Amino acid sequence: LEGRMVLVLCNLKARKLAGFPSHGMVLCASNEDHSVVKLVSVPVEAKIGERVTVPGFNFEGEEGAPFAENKVGKKKVFEKIAPFLQTSEYG
């Protein structure tokens, strides 16, 4: 992954990863039987650190700020959007 841009789901409840707390995860996609898993491609126009959203979904708390860590899980943000996430052979 070194030198590669990736999409990261942020503000997740901390989980230990290799002994360190992690508050995010890299967004990947798989085929139906999960035998092939690939990184989801970053939009061409995206800049490092830029927030990437999905049109039609509200990911924001008060005053347009991203949901806080404790709200992401409670509001089931990922669970609501997951059924609509699709990719093509191009990522």
Side-chain angles (χ1 to χ4, degrees):
L1 293 177
E2 191 172 329
R4 182 164 180 185
M5 289 181 59
V6 296
L7 292 174
V8 178
L9 299 175
C10 298
N11 293 356
L12 303 177
K13 183 177 177 182
R15 303 269 192 241
K16 290 272 184 168
L17 183 64
F20 297 94
S22 174
H23 295 270
M25 66 179 157
V26 176
L27 189 59
C28 296
S30 69
N31 59 356
E32 286 190 45
D33 68 1
H34 304 288
S35 61
V36 178
V37 178
K38 294 183 179 183
L39 295 169
V40 174
S41 298
V42 176
V44 176
E45 67 280 357
K47 294 176 179 47
I48 295 173
E50 182 178 28
R51 188 172 177 208
V52 177
T53 61
V54 178
F57 286 89
N58 180 11
F59 296 98
E60 300 176 343
E62 297 177 23
E63 300 177 10
F67 284 125
E69 174 184 307
N70 64 337
K71 297 285 186 193
V72 172
K74 286 180 184 176
K75 293 191 175 282
K76 300 195 180 291
V77 174
F78 183 73
E79 289 85 346
K80 288 179 183 175
I81 193 170
F84 301 97
L85 296 177
Q86 297 180 0
T87 187
S88 69
E89 62 189 273
Y90 304 106

